[in-house]
Amino acid sequence: MKVLVTGVNGQLGFDVVNELNHRGHEAVGVDVEEMDVTDSESVVRVFNEVQPDAVVHCAAWTAVDSAEEHEEKVRAVNASGTKFIAEECKKLGCKMMYISTDYVFDGQGNEPWAPDCKDYAPLNVYGQTKLEGELAVSSLLEKYFIVRIAWVFGKNGNNFINTMLRIGKVHDTVRVVNDQIGTPTYTFDLARLLVDMIETEEYGYYHATNEGGYISWYDFACEIFRQAGYDTKVVPVSTEEYGLSKAARPFNSRLDKSKLAGKGFILLPTWQDALKRYLKDKLDES
């Protein structure tokens, strides 16, 4: 299978290309230099050259706070760019996988969000534009996967773990919010699941994170320092006390992943195990 992967320079796109190649598929990874998703002519040209059987669309504007100040640019990437790709998938009759986010919901309550829930109420520009991307895919295509993820970390980019390790080296104490709840997602593990999925025709909406239970960012920081052997003290604070964010953040990022098992897909390892492997790889590289 020939698979076009957008956002290859990002954490997830990088791992998806590696996993596809590992399984013997022909992966064609592109980023903005090879295909500007905001330019329909650029998208058409690459699709005509590659002629993919499937597309994994990882490219997105994911800087949540800066998105508030650049709404037009963010919409061009997350909404219009996704629509251009969906239109080309429709022309070629190829499968499309769109990577989305829990930010399409309002982030309230305590119940996990079901993948087929349509109670959309984005809190910010990022969430709104990702939802517009979802709607473009679902309205144009029949052969699509919409996979919502949360709290992503991977080797090929910046993430919460790297930030904590960097701060923990120079500060005795860090303040971390304890009222935003979710589950981390390791892109290395997620990439394997996404390739499992794209090899099937079990289309529809899915949620995917690592297993291991729902936690706060405070809990995550504590485990990062524990596994890394840091003595850094973590002080729990509320989102309101923490301040600083330009964009509203969801308090409830719990995602219901039961549909994955129901469709026969193997669930991801626990986030604690994923963190252990991620830290080991970082130590091996340093």
Side-chain angles (χ1 to χ4, degrees):
M1 184 165 58
K2 183 187 280 190
V3 185
L4 178 66
V5 181
T6 69
V8 69
N9 293 338
Q11 295 180 109
L12 182 56
F14 176 82
D15 283 338
V16 169
V17 165
N18 284 343
E19 181 64 22
L20 285 164
N21 286 331
H22 177 70
R23 295 200 200 181
H25 296 296
E26 184 180 350
V28 180
V30 295
D31 218 291
V32 66
E33 298 82 8
E34 297 83 21
M35 185 178 82
D36 179 355
V37 299
T38 68
D39 178 356
S40 60
E41 291 182 3
S42 174
V43 175
V44 170
R45 175 181 53 78
V46 170
F47 269 76
N48 286 340
E49 288 173 3
V50 176
Q51 295 285 310
D53 302 303
V55 176
V56 181
H57 182 31
C58 301
W61 182 303
T62 57
V64 177
D65 284 329
S66 71
E68 296 297 302
E69 299 171 344
H70 302 284
E71 184 168 352
E72 198 172 312
K73 290 180 179 177
V74 179
R75 180 161 284 109
V77 175
N78 292 351
S80 300
T82 301
K83 180 171 176 281
F84 295 150
I85 289 170
E87 287 170 344
E88 293 309 300
C89 287
K90 186 173 184 178
K91 284 182 199 172
L92 293 180
C94 65
K95 304 175 183 182
M96 179 173 178
M97 177 175 281
Y98 174 62
I99 307 303
S100 193
T101 171
D102 66 282
Y103 277 61
V104 301
F105 303 118
D106 67 6
Q108 301 303 304
N110 299 308
E111 290 299 312
W113 299 103
D116 295 303
C117 175
K118 297 293 192 287
D119 296 335
Y120 307 126
L123 297 175
N124 50 43
V125 169
Y126 168 67
Q128 178 61 38
T129 56
K130 289 296 288 182
L131 173 59
E132 290 167 17
E134 282 194 14
L135 297 174
V137 172
S138 62
S139 64
L140 283 165
L141 301 174
E142 293 180 2
K143 297 194 295 186
Y144 68 85
F145 303 85
I146 291 174
V147 185
R148 300 192 190 102
I149 60 177
W151 295 22
V152 177
F153 68 94
K155 297 171 193 171
N156 199 48
N158 290 320
N159 56 61
F160 182 76
I161 301 172
N162 292 352
T163 300
M164 287 298 102
L165 294 176
R166 187 172 67 250
I167 294 172
K169 277 183 179 175
V170 294
H171 294 282
D172 295 332
T173 304
V174 297
R175 298 161 71 246
V176 181
V177 296
N178 69 341
D179 55 1
Q180 297 174 23
I181 309 299
T183 312
T185 310
Y186 185 19
T187 55
F188 178 83
D189 295 335
L190 179 62
R192 285 187 290 173
L193 172 64
L194 297 182
V195 176
D196 286 347
M197 295 173 78
I198 206 79
E199 290 175 338
T200 74
E201 295 180 357
E202 297 287 353
Y203 303 118
Y205 293 81
Y206 292 89
H207 288 166
T209 70
N210 282 85
E211 294 298 303
Y214 302 117
I215 58 168
S216 69
W217 289 109
Y218 164 78
D219 298 323
F220 195 20
C222 289
E223 183 64 12
I224 291 166
F225 291 135
R226 189 190 73 77
Q227 288 200 22
Y230 285 24
D231 294 326
T232 313
K233 181 183 177 185
V234 188
V235 177
V237 296
S238 68
T239 298
E240 187 177 4
E241 288 171 324
Y242 188 77
L244 299 179
S245 296
K246 291 173 183 169
R249 294 297 202 280
F251 291 104
N252 180 18
S253 293
R254 299 171 181 87
L255 294 176
D256 179 347
K257 299 163 297 232
S258 57
K259 187 175 178 181
L260 288 171
K263 293 289 186 178
F265 296 115
I266 298 171
L267 298 178
L268 305 191
T270 67
W271 65 265
Q272 295 93 334
D273 176 71
L275 172 61
K276 181 179 178 181
R277 287 179 283 120
Y278 178 83
L279 290 174
K280 182 180 183 300
D281 285 346
K282 278 189 74 70
L283 285 172
D284 289 346
E285 289 169 7
S286 61

